[in-house]
Amino acid sequence: MRAFRSLSPWIISALLLAACGGGNPDVPGTGSPSGAPTNKGSFTAVVSFGDSLSDVGTYSPATSLAGNGTPPYFGGKFTTNETSNGLPDANPLGKVWVEVLAASLGITVTPAEVGFNGSAVMCPAAAVPALANTCTGYGQGGSRVTDPMGIGHNADGSGALTVPVVTQIANHLARFGSFKASDLIFVYAGSNDVFTQFGTFAATATTIQTQAAAGMLTADQANLQLFAAQQAAEAGMKTAAQDLVNDIKTQILANGGTYVAVMTLSDIGDTPFGNLEIPASAKPVLTDLSQVFNLWLRDGLIGEPVQIIDTFALFKDTYQNPAKYGFVNNTTPACDPVAISAITGGAVTTGSSLFCNATPGAPYNGLRAGADPITWLFSDDVHPTTGGHKAISDKFTAQLQAFGWI
């Protein structure tokens, strides 16, 4: 989820910072975690913290067919949804990577919280006693690492819930007391901090360009101000990464977390948003903010007993070699903004995959003509399709096998 859809064209100075790295031991982020388990786990729960990429249905009520928040729902996940009950089965259609991976381990994961517009229910699956301990999918669309004012959350409490990761973890501890050695824990967050910082930078850059065009700033003055604006955005990403590291250390590891996998951010510049919706000159900034976050995330986890899954490298390969993974389209979103607008009575005009359904022949099907939820990579401008999430699950599963965990 993001707060903006497009930007006015503007020119980025060549004087832009690049994320640092390399093999020098004095360079931040070049060490490695250590001490994580190397043996197979006996997992009874998948516990996932993060944002829309890991959201297993927080905002389903927003897609109520009756329009009053009650089931049945035609959407609710940031992918190409379908109208099954969402329980693990042999067909991953409409499921996000967390559900697909959990199902492969014989584990059910349901939303820790479900709601919209200031109304929420904690662990709704607990209405079925056998599912009372499955509400360990904490990821929410729009959530940031620390700031509760996530993307889509309004000051009056309406809109998206966007419970930040720091609170997601605290909520788990409040419910369960601690983590168990049989918990498989995923921490995948930071994308909405990128979008927030990038949005602020973009607004500043637009103002600078306007002033330069009006002769109020010289080219050198404009470049220096652009440089400072990017530095400020990078500083925000460094803080977000360090906050997430602190959450992992003080809330997860200090409370029994044993099998902990932490994901870096992928290159958001590779999404349709990065390639189609912003000026080409801005794309390197978007990529840079992801890299800065990853740099300080790695730096803070040096020597810690976790494993890092490098989504930046894994997803880069998927984007650059789509046919290798069975994708025939990695540029056009599968969800149709016009169809979704019609389905929602004009309430949603962005083409958000939260409201996108892929059920063939359904009146609420929101796919573009010819789109395929399995062979097209993106559902909307930043989120994967069903096939995209399956590819993510496959990659993460391979990483867990390499760790010796499964």
Side-chain angles (χ1 to χ4, degrees):
M1 299 180 78
R2 299 191 324 287
F4 53 89
R5 302 297 305 180
S6 61
L7 306 171
S8 299
W10 37 264
I11 298 171
I12 298 294
S13 164
L15 297 172
L16 294 178
L17 297 178
C20 54
N24 189 328
D26 296 323
V27 174
T30 56
S32 301
S34 63
T38 56
N39 59 301
K40 289 186 178 180
S42 298
F43 300 119
T44 60
V46 168
V47 185
S48 176
F49 304 107
D51 50 36
S52 56
L53 287 174
S54 307
D55 190 330
V56 296
T58 301
Y59 303 124
S60 296
T63 70
S64 167
L65 281 173
N68 59 5
T70 63
Y73 309 124
F74 67 88
K77 300 172 190 175
F78 294 86
T79 185
T80 39
N81 295 270
E82 50 84 38
T83 50
S84 76
N85 60 13
L87 296 178
D89 54 41
N91 180 6
L93 182 64
K95 297 179 176 65
V96 301
W97 71 266
V98 180
E99 298 169 290
V100 179
L101 194 154
S104 73
L105 300 176
I107 296 171
T108 301
V109 58
T110 63
E113 185 175 10
V114 171
F116 198 72
N117 276 338
S119 175
V121 176
M122 305 300 291
C123 191
V128 179
L131 298 177
N133 291 323
T134 67
C135 306
T136 53
Y138 292 89
Q140 294 188 354
S143 290
R144 299 177 63 184
V145 171
T146 304
D147 194 334
M149 290 300 297
I151 294 176
H153 183 86
N154 300 319
D156 63 0
S158 64
L161 303 179
T162 69
V163 173
V165 174
V166 62
T167 307
Q168 293 175 18
I169 303 171
N171 287 344
H172 181 82
L173 293 174
R175 179 173 173 80
F176 294 96
S178 64
F179 292 94
K180 303 186 299 292
S182 59
D183 289 336
L184 177 56
I185 304 166
F186 294 107
V187 182
Y188 191 7
S191 292
N192 289 312
D193 288 277
V194 170
F195 289 126
T196 299
Q197 295 297 337
F198 182 76
T200 300
F201 170 78
T204 301
T206 299
T207 298
I208 293 169
Q209 165 121 357
T210 300
Q211 292 176 341
M216 300 169 63
L217 295 173
T218 66
D220 285 345
Q221 288 172 330
N223 283 341
L224 286 173
Q225 288 190 22
L226 285 169
F227 186 76
Q230 186 172 351
Q231 283 185 304
E234 290 176 338
M237 293 312 303
K238 177 180 178 180
T239 297
Q242 292 178 329
D243 285 349
L244 186 58
V245 166
N246 184 65
D247 296 340
I248 293 166
K249 290 180 179 180
T250 64
Q251 290 205 78
I252 297 179
L253 296 176
N255 286 287
T258 304
Y259 290 87
V260 182
V262 182
M263 285 72 164
T264 65
L265 296 183
S266 59
D267 185 354
I268 299 174
D270 285 340
T271 63
F273 172 74
N275 284 314
L276 302 175
E277 295 189 23
I278 64 174
S281 54
K283 182 176 176 178
V285 181
L286 196 61
T287 299
D288 176 55
L289 295 180
S290 300
Q291 290 177 309
V292 168
F293 181 89
N294 293 344
L295 173 73
W296 292 107
L297 181 67
R298 288 183 178 277
D299 184 68
L301 294 175
I302 291 174
E304 296 296 328
V306 304
Q307 288 284 10
I308 294 177
I309 296 179
D310 186 5
T311 70
F312 194 94
L314 292 175
F315 296 176
K316 181 68 70 173
D317 187 54
T318 304
Y319 182 77
Q320 293 179 340
N321 302 286
K324 176 180 174 182
Y325 301 94
F327 295 112
V328 300
N329 187 318
N330 68 343
T331 57
T332 307
C335 301
D336 185 355
V338 175
I340 293 173
S341 178
I343 292 165
T344 61
V348 179
T349 60
T350 62
S352 170
S353 58
L354 180 69
F355 301 90
C356 181
N357 189 283
T359 305
Y364 40 80
N365 182 295
L367 294 185
R368 296 177 188 270
D372 189 307
I374 303 300
T375 62
W376 287 34
L377 180 56
F378 291 101
S379 59
D380 57 23
D381 55 359
V382 293
H383 298 104
T385 56
T386 296
H389 273 288
K390 178 61 166 58
I392 293 172
S393 175
D394 290 345
K395 286 179 178 290
F396 289 176
T397 297
Q399 292 292 296
L400 298 180
Q401 291 171 337
F403 300 155
W405 291 5
I406 61 176

